[in-house]
Amino acid sequence: MPVNALSSFRFAALLLTVGYTSIHAATPAVTPLFWPDRQGPTKDCLIPESEAAKLPLEWDEASGKGIAWSTPIEDEGHSTPVIGGDLIWFTSASKDGHKMFLYAINRQDGKIVHHKLLFQNEAPEELGNPINNYAAPSCVLEEDALYVHFGTYGTARLDPKTGEVVWQRRDINVRHFRGPGSSPIIYDNLLILTFDGIDKQFVTALDKTTGKTLWTTNRTTDYGDLDKEGKPTRDGDLRKAYGTPSVMKVGNTLQLLSVGSRAAFGYDLNTGKELWTIRHKEFNASARPLSVGNIAYINTGSERAHLMAVKLDDTAKGDITESHVLWDREKRNATLSTPVMVNGHIFQATGAGVGVCVNLQDGADIWSERISPGKFVAAPIATKERIYFVSDTGDATVIAASPEFKVLARNKFNEPVTASPAVADGAIFFRTKTHLVKVVKQ
C-alpha cells in the first residue's frame, strides 16, 4: 500500500476510533440508582450513610462558593430530580400548561442531554392558585425504566438509555382544578398513581412493563360538602389532595398508605382492596406517610394539618378513627413539605418557616423554632447528623438532627426552591425556579 494511502487509512481508522469513543462517552450510564424516587433510595428523605461525610455544609450561589455548576432550565416545575448513573431527570411545563417536557442533565458537567417534549394539551385546566404548576409530580426511576407523570395530562414509561417512550397513557383523567401534584411510586411490577380531583378520587395500579391497568379503587370518603341541591360546594374543591402514598408491611400484608382529602386509607397493595380508613377534617394532603415498626405517621394536609400516629396491625379493619390513633397533633405541622424521621424524632417544616422537632411517643414539641423566611414546599433531606431544609425564598438552612435546636449553616440561592433536593456521589442537586444547581463540598 502506498505511503499516502496507508496514512489515509490510519487517519480514517483513528477517526473511527475517536468517533466511537466519543459516542460511547456521550452515552451516560444509568446505574447506580443514586436517588430513584422523589424522597431518595429508601423513600423517606434519608441520605445513605455512605454519602454523609462527603456532603457540603456551606455554599452560596451568588459568590459561587460550593457551586460546581449551574444550568439554566426553561419553563416551570416542582418536580424533584431523580438520579441514576450520570443522568439527572425531572419534568417541566410551560406556564400555560400547553407543553410538557422531560429534562435529562449530566450530573458531571451540567450539560443538557435531553430536553424532550412529551405531551401537548389543547385546553389545559387553569390552575386557580399561585403555588402550583403543571409539572409538580416527580419522576420515578429504575435501572431500565423512567416513569414520568403529569397527572391527568399523561403518564409514560421511557428507556433511560435513549430517552425514548416505551408506552404512554393519556386516558386516566380527573379535573385537577388546582393542578396535579401526586407523584407515582413503584413496588415490584406495580406503578401506582393517585388521583384526587374535584370530580373523581381514586388510586390505580398499572403494570409497569405494559402500562395496562391492574386495579382501580375509588375513595369511599364522606366529604360532607354537599349543598342543598346535593352538589359538592365550591365545585368539589374540598375533595382535592396531592398525596404520594407509602408502602408498609402490616402482619403478612403489604399495604398502601394513602392520604386523601377528609380521610386516609390502607389498601391491599396487590389487589387495591380497601382495608381501613381514618376520618380527618382537612384537605390538600400532600406529605408522604412515614412508618416505623407497626406505627404509621400521617399528615392530613392544608393550613390546619394534623399529624397522627396510627397503630397498624391485623386488627386495623374498617373505620379505625377511634380505635387505632395513638396521638393526634393539631398544631404546628407541615402543610406541604413531607416530614423526615431521624434518631427517633420527626422533624418537619411548617408553611410559616418554622421548624419543629416532634416526640414520637406522644407527638409533643421538643423544639419549635423559626429556621427560615418563606414557605416550605420542598421536603427536607437528612443524615444522622444533619437536616437540610430549603424554602421558597431560596434560603437553605442546615439543622442538627438533634433534640437540641442548633443551626449548623445558613446558605442562599438566587431563586426560590420548591422542588426537594437530591443527592448523588457526595453532591446535592437543587432545582431552583430557573436553574439546576450542583452543590459540592469545598
Side-chain angles (χ1 to χ4, degrees):
M1 182 180 292
V3 173
N4 288 344
L6 181 60
S7 298
S8 298
F9 174 80
R10 288 174 175 168
F11 181 69
L14 178 62
L15 281 178
L16 181 62
T17 302
V18 171
Y20 173 79
T21 303
S22 299
I23 293 170
H24 183 70
T27 306
V30 294
T31 55
L33 295 174
F34 291 105
W35 204 261
D37 178 276
R38 66 182 296 186
Q39 265 116 33
T42 49
K43 303 177 179 61
D44 53 9
C45 301
L46 297 182
I47 301 165
E49 281 304 301
S50 59
E51 301 278 349
K54 300 183 288 183
L55 293 177
L57 177 63
E58 297 179 315
W59 65 87
D60 179 69
E61 188 177 10
S63 67
K65 177 183 178 181
I67 308 300
W69 50 255
S70 180
T71 299
I73 54 179
E74 298 178 7
D75 300 308
E76 297 184 337
H78 296 316
S79 166
T80 293
V82 294
I83 309 172
D86 291 338
L87 288 185
I88 306 165
W89 303 88
F90 57 92
T91 56
S92 68
S94 59
K95 190 172 184 178
D96 60 12
H98 285 283
K99 294 183 179 180
M100 296 176 164
F101 301 91
L102 175 68
Y103 268 101
I105 293 179
N106 190 297
R107 70 179 176 88
Q108 306 291 355
D109 55 20
K111 292 182 178 179
I112 297 173
V113 179
H114 298 294
H115 184 203
K116 186 182 185 75
L117 177 63
L118 280 184
F119 299 123
Q120 296 190 72
N121 307 300
E122 291 185 5
E125 191 175 22
E126 292 186 7
L127 292 175
N129 72 87
I131 297 176
N132 207 9
N133 51 58
Y134 292 95
S138 300
C139 307
V140 62
L141 181 64
E142 295 184 302
E143 290 185 7
D144 62 348
L146 175 74
Y147 302 91
V148 180
H149 183 58
F150 291 92
T152 194
Y153 302 105
T155 305
R157 171 175 171 151
L158 290 87
D159 183 341
K161 293 182 179 179
T162 63
E164 295 302 313
V165 173
V166 177
W167 57 255
Q168 66 177 29
R169 294 283 301 269
R170 305 202 70 184
D171 61 325
I172 309 173
N173 307 120
V174 298
R175 287 186 59 199
H176 287 301
F177 189 50
R178 300 189 184 277
S182 303
S183 296
I185 69 166
I186 294 172
Y187 200 94
D188 288 341
N189 68 316
L190 303 178
L191 176 68
I192 298 169
L193 310 176
T194 306
F195 289 84
D196 284 303
I198 62 173
D199 56 341
K200 293 180 287 185
Q201 306 82 31
F202 59 90
V203 179
T204 188
L206 310 184
D207 183 313
K208 69 180 185 182
T209 304
T210 65
K212 179 181 178 182
T213 300
L214 297 177
W215 56 257
T216 299
T217 302
N218 294 322
R219 302 287 200 197
T220 57
T221 310
D222 179 3
Y223 294 99
D225 63 346
L226 300 182
D227 61 20
K228 294 179 180 179
E229 298 178 355
K231 297 180 180 180
T233 58
R234 293 168 54 176
D235 202 22
D237 192 21
L238 299 181
R239 303 184 175 202
K240 276 287 304 168
Y242 305 89
T244 299
S246 297
V247 175
M248 177 178 175
K249 189 171 184 180
V250 180
N252 294 320
T253 305
L254 286 173
Q255 296 190 8
L256 188 72
L257 310 186
S258 178
V259 188
S261 172
R262 303 297 203 233
F265 295 91
Y267 300 111
D268 185 299
L269 183 65
N270 294 313
T271 66
K273 179 183 177 182
E274 181 185 316
L275 302 173
W276 55 261
T277 184
I278 291 175
R279 291 171 281 110
H280 64 81
K281 295 181 180 180
E282 306 309 320
F283 57 105
N284 290 338
S286 61
R288 198 171 192 168
L290 300 170
S291 64
V292 61
N294 65 344
I295 301 176
Y297 300 89
I298 293 172
N299 180 292
T300 62
S302 80
E303 295 299 323
R304 297 182 179 87
H306 286 217
L307 180 65
M308 300 178 179
V310 184
K311 183 178 180 180
L312 295 177
D313 53 25
D314 291 337
T315 67
K317 300 181 187 300
D319 188 329
I320 61 172
T321 311
E322 305 298 331
S323 57
H324 286 66
V325 175
L326 301 177
W327 50 257
D328 184 355
R329 178 187 165 87
E330 299 182 2
K331 297 179 180 179
R332 291 186 301 279
N333 296 308
T335 56
L336 295 171
S337 173
T338 292
V340 62
M341 188 186 303
V342 192
N343 300 331
H345 300 88
I346 290 178
F347 296 86
Q348 58 179 341
T350 73
V354 174
V356 184
C357 177
V358 177
N359 188 322
L360 284 185
Q361 303 305 313
D362 58 10
D365 282 3
I366 293 178
W367 54 255
S368 177
E369 302 283 348
R370 181 171 297 280
I371 58 175
S372 175
K375 296 180 179 179
F376 288 97
V377 178
I381 55 175
T383 69
K384 289 183 178 180
E385 283 75 36
R386 303 175 185 172
I387 305 171
Y388 293 78
F389 291 97
V390 60
S391 76
D392 67 354
T393 57
D395 291 272
T397 308
V398 188
I399 304 293
S402 165
E404 179 183 352
F405 178 71
K406 183 179 181 181
V407 175
L408 302 179
R410 295 190 184 276
N411 307 298
K412 184 68 177 176
F413 291 101
N414 298 332
E415 298 286 343
V417 179
T418 55
S420 303
V423 172
D425 198 21
I428 308 178
F429 297 85
F430 292 89
R431 178 187 186 170
T432 74
K433 186 177 178 61
T434 59
H435 289 72
L436 184 68
V437 184
K438 180 178 182 178
V439 178
V440 296
K441 190 175 183 178
Q442 288 188 331

